[in-house]
Amino acid sequence: MRPAPIRPEPLPARSPVNIHNEWDPLEEIIVGSLEGMVIPPWEPGLAGPMYEPHFPLFKTQGGKPWPAELARKAEQELEGLARVLEAEGVKVRRPAKVDWSKNFSSPDWSSPSGLGAANPRDSLLVIGNEIIETPMAWRSRYFETLAFKPLLKEYWAAGAGWISAPRPQLHDDLYAKDFVQPKKGELGKFVLNDHEPIFDAADVIKCGRDIFMGLSSTCNHAGVEWLRRYLRDRHGDTYRVHELLFDDQHPMHIDATFYPLAPGKLLVHPERVVKVPEIFKDWDVFRAPEPHIPDEHPLYFSSKWMNLNVLMIDEKRVIATQGEERTLELLKKKGFEPIPIPFWNFNNFGGSFHCATLDIRRQGSLQSYF
Ligand code: ABU
């Protein structure tokens, strides 16, 4: 079937896309989907952020479907998240169906399959009224935004900005050969070099005019520099992009490490954040407690620290994981109103509430919080 032509309307006074931070009152959000998600095929980019016990799975089963029962339980939790968001008054949108099992190639490499659309936080970065398709590190994720194209076209037609960062080449020489993961205290060792700009949107966290990016094995210095220059060329001195370095042995994404939850309140990982940037000197900076997630959850893509990966509905209401009692207590003590939802089964597939969603519109305007 041919896609329907886009007929942009005259620009409305208010863009359907409006995001300046992680906490303004949430109006519209995309919740990911596990439909058709496959096991990622092994490729050099996985050697940096992924966990060695899962390497054989990626090497031998890449491109195949996940065990049905694991995926079903996770999908059920995603549905639960969508229902809770709706009950809280948020408009929920979902990705389009894509056949992720198809192979594809560039002139330089081929990928036996894609991955999925479970984590919309990675491929799309929303800043102000604009959506940026990000230059992601993994070949299997090269076409991930296909799942969001119908929504992107809709938002664009209704007045949002929409751009793609330079499509990366992802040559073999972008990735360190025979990569050995860093030891504790060995900061700045990543699988990516700086041959071209690379970042996932989840390497970025927004705090009004200040935008924080964590260097990682999915975000290189060139990626930070690309976003910095892009925002400067488009908005002059409006934004300040800060580059951060963490002590993480599988560095990928900032949102389980360094998370400004509300004005004056910064949640940080207890070990990875070795130095809190000076500009937070007047903020309440609190360390996440040890998670409760049971060891039998295989966590194919992430650390156990998914208890930090919450989702703010506004400055008070926060979606957090049912069963993570220490985190729920801490959030209450800090003045938040946690809404606990079961999500440990989804955690197996790459993240938690922040990863599984992409906020599209919040009330509020651009501010400086420092
Ligand atoms: N996608 C978030 C992963 C972060 C972590 O493993 O801690």
Side-chain angles (χ1 to χ4, degrees):
M1 200 174 72
R2 285 183 39 205
I6 302 175
R7 291 203 182 78
E9 301 296 325
L11 288 190
R14 190 164 181 243
S15 167
V17 172
N18 184 60
I19 295 293
H20 301 291
N21 55 46
E22 306 293 336
W23 58 77
D24 276 342
L26 183 60
E27 293 187 341
E28 181 162 338
I29 195 162
I30 300 175
V31 171
S33 165
L34 278 125
E35 192 169 358
M37 185 171 178
V38 296
I39 298 168
W42 181 257
E43 56 176 297
L46 272 59
M50 293 296 95
Y51 289 74
E52 281 203 30
H54 303 309
F55 287 4
L57 177 78
F58 304 147
K59 286 180 178 170
T60 63
Q61 306 296 312
K64 295 195 179 143
W66 288 95
E69 188 55 11
L70 272 182
R72 189 190 62 75
K73 285 185 186 162
E75 187 73 53
Q76 230 171 19
E77 291 182 346
L78 260 188
E79 292 301 324
L81 170 64
R83 298 294 83 79
V84 168
L85 284 163
E86 282 169 348
E88 295 294 325
V90 180
K91 181 172 179 181
V92 172
R93 312 300 301 273
R94 304 304 294 273
K97 191 174 170 178
V98 171
D99 181 357
W100 300 109
S101 70
K102 281 190 181 158
N103 62 58
F104 53 85
S105 58
S106 86
D108 302 302
W109 48 262
S110 64
S111 181
S113 72
L115 175 62
N119 295 291
R121 185 68 61 180
D122 300 346
S123 61
L124 298 169
L125 176 64
V126 185
I127 296 184
N129 66 4
E130 184 166 50
I131 305 182
I132 302 171
E133 296 188 42
T134 56
M136 299 176 82
W138 295 4
R139 294 167 179 167
S140 60
R141 306 190 80 177
Y142 196 82
F143 287 111
E144 199 159 305
T145 57
L146 285 181
F148 306 103
K149 293 286 182 186
L151 288 171
L152 293 171
K153 291 174 191 173
E154 177 195 316
Y155 294 137
W156 178 78
W162 175 22
I163 191 171
S164 174
R167 295 288 82 202
Q169 286 186 282
L170 306 180
H171 276 168
D172 282 350
D173 60 7
L174 173 66
Y175 310 96
K177 285 201 178 27
D178 305 319
F179 185 71
V180 178
Q181 294 181 331
K183 296 188 177 54
K184 206 163 166 41
E186 201 178 354
L187 273 67
K189 184 176 180 188
F190 307 114
V191 76
L192 298 175
N193 60 43
D194 269 306
H195 289 189
E196 59 184 342
I198 301 286
F199 62 96
D200 286 3
D203 290 299
V204 182
I205 207 129
K206 284 154 276 184
C207 192
R209 291 183 60 193
D210 290 277
I211 291 180
F212 298 89
M213 293 180 78
L215 290 178
S216 76
S217 275
T218 51
C219 173
N220 59 11
H221 175 70
V224 177
E225 192 53 27
W226 182 86
L227 187 64
R228 185 178 280 142
R229 285 194 217 166
Y230 175 72
L231 292 174
R232 185 198 59 203
D233 293 348
R234 197 158 158 69
H235 301 282
D237 292 335
T238 302
Y239 291 99
R240 298 172 285 250
V241 176
H242 306 260
E243 182 182 278
L244 304 181
L245 196 54
F246 303 118
D247 189 0
D248 187 350
Q249 286 64 67
H250 305 87
M252 180 183 190
H253 303 164
I254 195 169
D255 53 357
T257 297
F258 186 91
Y259 197 157
L261 297 177
K265 297 179 186 185
L266 175 68
L267 174 65
V268 296
H269 189 287
E271 291 151 18
R272 293 178 186 164
V273 179
V274 281
K275 189 174 181 327
V276 176
E278 179 65 16
I279 59 170
F280 287 94
K281 63 182 184 329
D282 297 324
W283 283 46
D284 183 7
V285 180
F286 40 94
R287 293 179 184 273
E290 191 72 23
H292 289 266
I293 186 165
D295 288 341
E296 57 268 25
H297 284 265
L299 300 173
Y300 292 108
F301 298 89
S302 77
S303 70
K304 64 180 182 178
W305 291 91
M306 293 301 99
N307 54 325
L308 278 97
N309 196 262
V310 296
L311 177 72
M312 303 305 296
I313 298 184
D314 55 31
E315 281 187 29
K316 293 268 180 216
R317 286 177 296 166
V318 50
I319 297 193
T321 318
Q322 186 175 302
E324 291 293 353
E325 296 308 325
R326 285 184 281 264
T327 305
L328 295 168
E329 274 315 302
L330 174 72
L331 290 168
K332 278 188 218 154
K333 200 172 112 198
K334 295 295 178 183
F336 296 103
E337 295 162 10
I339 302 173
I341 303 184
F343 223 53
W344 279 337
N345 292 298
F346 182 85
N347 291 174
N348 292 334
F349 291 95
S352 201
F353 304 110
H354 197 254
C355 301
T357 55
L358 179 68
D359 24 342
I360 290 295
R361 193 174 61 258
R362 292 178 183 269
Q363 291 168 19
S365 56
L366 186 63
Q367 316 261 338
S368 177
Y369 298 95
F370 300 98

